[in-house]
Amino acid sequence: MCKPCIAAFPKLIDLYSKYKDRGFEIIGISTDRTMRVKNWKKVILEQQLPWVQYLDENAVKTSEMYIRLFPTAVLIDKKGNIVNKKASLEEIEIYLSKELGG
C-alpha cells in the first residue's frame, strides 16, 4: 500500500465509525503488485481496517479506468450517482456532515 493511502487511514476510520450506521460505506481497492500482496494483507490487519478490501492485483482494472492518483476517493450518493471523482478527506467529511448529519 502506498504511504499516502496509509496516512489517510486514521481519518477514514474516524469517518467510518461516525457515519457507517447512517449509510456511509467504504470499499478499499488496492493495486499492489503480486510481490507486495503479503504486505497488503499485513497492513490491513495492522491498521485494523473495518471495511471491505479488494485487490486489483497489478492494477489491471484500475489502469483501464485511467486511475493514476493514489489514493483516489470516489464519492457516490445513496442513489448511486457519482458526486465527486477525486474527493479529498475534507470534502468527504463536509459531504457526510451535510447529507448524513454531523
Side-chain angles (χ1 to χ4, degrees):
M1 285 193 189
C2 70
K3 288 182 183 183
C5 298
I6 293 170
F9 290 152
K11 183 63 176 179
L12 287 171
I13 290 169
D14 287 345
L15 290 172
Y16 188 73
S17 295
K18 184 174 182 178
Y19 293 104
K20 70 178 178 171
D21 294 332
R22 296 184 232 174
F24 176 58
E25 191 55 68
I26 295 175
I27 299 171
I29 304 172
S30 180
T31 60
D32 282 284
R33 297 187 186 279
T34 301
M35 65 185 174
R36 303 281 300 155
V37 170
K38 273 187 169 180
N39 185 63
W40 169 70
K41 291 177 181 180
K42 180 182 170 193
V43 171
I44 292 169
L45 292 173
E46 288 175 351
Q47 296 290 321
Q48 299 179 20
L49 302 180
W51 51 81
V52 175
Q53 301 291 327
Y54 293 101
L55 177 62
D56 175 19
E57 196 167 339
N58 300 313
V60 174
K61 292 292 180 187
T62 308
S63 294
E64 290 174 8
M65 295 185 295
Y66 302 102
I67 296 174
R68 308 234 190 298
L69 177 66
F70 299 95
T72 293
V74 178
L75 191 56
I76 302 171
D77 69 14
K78 291 179 182 181
K79 295 178 182 177
N81 299 310
I82 295 175
V83 174
N84 189 329
K85 290 183 180 181
K86 295 180 182 176
S88 68
L89 290 174
E90 182 180 355
E91 290 168 327
I92 293 169
E93 186 169 23
I94 290 167
Y95 179 85
L96 292 173
S97 179
K98 179 180 154 193
E99 296 296 319
L100 303 178

